[in-house]
Amino acid sequence: MEKENIAVGLDIGTTKIVAMIGKKNEYGKLEILGVGKSKSLGVARGVVNNITQTIQSIQQAVLEAENKSGYKIKDVVVGIAGQHIRSIQHSDYIIRKNAEEVIGGNDIQLLIDQVNKLAMLPGEEIIHVLPQEFKIDGQSEIKEPIGMYGGRLESSFHVVVGQASSIRNVGRCIQSSGIELSGLTLEPLASADAVLSQEEKEAGVALIDIGGGTTDLAIFKDGIIRHTAVIPFGGNVITDDIKEGCSIIEKQAELLKVKFGSAWPGENKDNEIVSIPGLRGREPKEISLKNLSKIIHARVVEIIEQVFTEIKDYGHEDPRKKLIAGIVLTGGGAQLNHIKQLVEYITGMDTRIGYPNEHLAGNSDEEISSPLYATAVGLVMNSIENKTQSAIRIDTVVPEKTSVKPPVYQKAEIEEPRNVIIEEEVVKEESTGKRIQRSFFDRYVDKIKDFLDNAE
């Protein structure tokens, strides 16, 4: 009997925390078994600022996902974001002792270790090393160097850097919630896995993930990640503007934004008015939808212009770096009315809203297909790639303690070698980029675990 590969992703956002349990069905699509969602109370702009509240929110989301799915969560792949994240481009090389020997995984690991020794600002650590293109003895544009010959192996890297303390705080919250950390993924990369096609990544595309506290950007060209950035503004700043501009409480401002908000003021007529109940018996407040749209429009323009500056910094105006597939918007902020039209107007680039439904099984709940869950879906996909058994059926947790059941499990384990061999073959076919990404993250997660264990 083949073991179920149950994957779990945990999206720790500024407005919500989502725990998602899923597995691949027979058609290779993602079947979501359970989703837990809780209000994020201890996170501001993607960074944990209250450990106790964050732990409670994580536990609430995990418990809800477990109750809905019937699975007990053991470990999770978590998304990393926040205003402390920055990225740099770096090139490095190694001289091989024997140019007549075939280039192998060890040579690439040596190159990675060299990049890992880069001097960073105090308190910063490298959290992501993404290879772009390799050069062997001056021959450029090599995507897969393994199996080739050469003396000088060179590569350009996209290096993502973040504050070590912020990442360790996330690790502490997860560990204190009674679950293990099995992997880390940069949130814009997780969202990209969920909503972008390989064709778009090849043609050139900018993914803009508008969250509650931050707006994440990931740029792909020729199938390779070229640029990442985190802008420290998101949907919450729009809500704050509405709260201040209309003199109402935050809860009402959020409802106004979601139900009646538009990023394009011209869409609302002057006589369109919404009435909001007054506080504690006070008179109701009347708010013009045109004014509401003007408030939203001003802030969205500011966010998109900052993102567009990053796209221009990448070099989008260079014909060789042109993003032919344009822009894909995802995250909760992508649900704002007329935001697609506004982004097209500001950037002059083709824009679409990114839904994670392409990778989801046909019978998936419509709510999960929302851009709101793009990051969580991407994290589950990442967990599946790690081949981790992140959750077990709740009904199998108890029988393990009885004396009758063990022979059944032993038999199942004896019948498995066929499947194990197949899995090994799949790993061998893994691309250099994926292998580097995985080995680096495995080591980084181990480093966080060691830090947390020593801090006890």
Side-chain angles (χ1 to χ4, degrees):
M1 188 183 122
E2 191 178 340
K3 233 181 186 181
E4 276 188 310
N5 179 15
I6 307 297
V8 183
L10 184 69
D11 175 14
I12 301 175
T14 306
T15 47
K16 66 179 189 330
I17 290 178
V18 177
M20 190 177 277
I21 305 174
K23 65 172 184 178
K24 267 198 174 172
N25 65 12
E26 64 269 35
Y27 307 108
K29 293 289 185 184
L30 190 61
E31 190 180 320
I32 303 299
L33 303 169
V35 179
K37 185 174 153 191
S38 66
K39 190 170 171 57
S40 181
L41 298 171
V43 183
R45 290 190 175 167
V47 179
V48 173
N49 63 3
N50 186 319
I51 294 256
T52 310
Q53 285 186 327
T54 305
I55 291 167
Q56 287 170 356
S57 297
I58 290 171
Q59 287 173 333
Q60 194 182 328
V62 164
L63 188 65
E64 191 185 327
E66 286 176 343
N67 290 342
K68 284 182 179 176
S69 66
Y71 283 83
K72 177 78 181 160
I73 294 174
K74 294 193 298 177
D75 55 64
V76 294
V77 168
V78 71
I80 291 292
Q83 57 191 27
H84 61 95
I85 301 285
R86 68 184 182 94
S87 63
I88 50 174
Q89 295 296 117
H90 177 72
S91 290
D92 222 321
Y93 71 93
I94 55 165
I95 303 294
R96 301 179 66 236
K97 287 177 184 171
N98 187 356
E100 302 303 312
E101 265 185 23
V102 170
I103 293 170
N106 291 342
D107 296 303
I108 290 162
Q109 196 56 57
L110 204 63
L111 191 52
I112 289 290
D113 291 340
Q114 204 158 289
V115 176
N116 200 21
K117 288 172 189 166
L118 276 176
M120 291 292 125
L121 294 171
E124 279 192 336
E125 273 186 20
I126 293 172
I127 55 170
H128 226 330
V129 173
L130 297 159
Q132 295 183 320
E133 281 150 335
F134 291 89
K135 245 187 209 180
I136 300 171
D137 292 343
Q139 182 190 341
S140 58
E141 294 182 11
I142 294 167
K143 287 188 181 177
E144 184 54 273
I146 288 178
M148 298 182 79
Y149 293 90
R152 178 184 162 116
L153 177 64
E154 192 178 343
S155 179
S156 56
F157 291 95
H158 183 76
V159 183
V160 180
V161 180
Q163 286 289 343
S165 57
S166 297
I167 296 152
R168 284 169 185 160
N169 283 338
V170 170
R172 164 72 66 206
C173 290
I174 289 163
Q175 194 183 54
S176 302
S177 301
I179 45 183
E180 289 294 314
L181 179 65
S182 67
L184 283 166
T185 300
L186 193 63
E187 288 198 355
L189 296 185
S191 304
D193 286 341
V195 303
L196 297 181
S197 67
Q198 192 54 40
E199 287 85 355
E200 283 177 318
K201 289 180 181 178
E202 288 288 343
V205 67
L207 177 85
I208 303 173
D209 184 345
I210 307 170
T214 59
T215 298
D216 304 332
L217 170 71
I219 295 175
F220 294 84
K221 178 75 176 172
D222 301 326
I224 298 164
I225 182 84
R226 299 292 181 182
H227 188 76
T228 51
V230 178
I231 285 104
F233 300 111
N236 286 5
V237 189
I238 300 169
T239 305
D240 285 345
D241 286 355
I242 296 168
K243 185 178 86 173
E244 297 298 326
C246 300
S247 302
I248 53 176
I249 60 170
E250 192 174 333
K251 190 179 174 184
Q252 292 172 336
E254 182 65 28
L255 272 170
L256 262 184
K257 181 183 79 175
V258 172
K259 285 196 167 183
F260 303 103
S262 166
W264 201 266
E267 288 297 315
N268 297 113
K269 296 182 178 71
D270 292 326
N271 60 353
E272 285 183 306
I273 285 168
V274 63
S275 181
I276 289 179
L279 296 174
R280 297 295 294 255
R282 290 178 178 86
E283 287 292 308
K285 192 181 280 281
E286 290 190 341
I287 288 162
S288 156
L289 291 190
K290 198 169 191 75
N291 285 343
L292 176 70
S293 295
K294 280 178 181 174
I295 293 167
I296 294 170
H297 174 81
R299 183 60 79 174
V300 174
V301 166
E302 187 187 346
I303 293 169
I304 299 305
E305 280 178 348
Q306 283 202 40
V307 174
F308 194 41
T309 302
E310 291 284 348
I311 294 172
K312 284 190 276 196
D313 286 348
Y314 147 76
H316 160 66
E317 284 157 356
D318 180 339
R320 289 170 301 171
K321 293 183 171 183
K322 194 168 174 63
L323 305 177
I324 297 163
I327 290 171
V328 175
L329 293 171
T330 194
Q335 297 177 112
L336 189 62
N337 287 334
H338 308 110
I339 193 164
K340 171 185 174 294
Q341 289 86 335
L342 182 62
V343 172
E344 283 181 338
Y345 177 74
I346 292 170
T347 64
M349 296 165 74
D350 283 342
T351 305
R352 74 171 178 89
I353 306 295
Y355 298 92
N357 51 4
E358 186 189 327
H359 301 283
L360 296 173
N363 59 349
S364 296
D365 189 345
E366 198 177 318
E367 191 192 359
I368 299 161
S369 302
S370 158
L372 202 69
Y373 292 102
T375 303
V377 169
L379 292 170
V380 174
M381 289 167 67
N382 197 271
S383 181
I384 285 172
E385 276 182 22
N386 291 350
K387 294 187 170 61
T388 49
Q389 180 66 22
S390 297
I392 45 174
R393 277 189 185 277
I394 288 171
D395 56 8
T396 61
V397 177
V398 181
E400 282 180 7
K401 294 174 185 172
T402 66
S403 57
V404 185
K405 291 285 181 187
V408 179
Y409 291 117
Q410 286 164 13
K411 190 180 174 191
E413 282 166 16
I414 292 163
E415 287 174 1
E416 267 191 275
R418 250 191 348 265
N419 298 328
V420 173
I421 293 164
I422 291 166
E423 281 188 6
E424 278 176 9
E425 284 170 2
V426 173
V427 172
K428 280 176 190 169
E429 289 168 7
E430 198 172 44
S431 72
T432 300
K434 283 284 183 194
R435 195 183 293 110
I436 289 171
Q437 195 176 325
R438 192 179 312 290
S439 69
F440 191 84
F441 262 130
D442 288 345
R443 285 186 300 150
Y444 195 79
V445 169
D446 290 341
K447 197 157 74 170
I448 290 175
K449 283 178 182 171
D450 289 344
F451 173 82
L452 292 172
D453 291 342
N454 295 333
E456 291 295 339

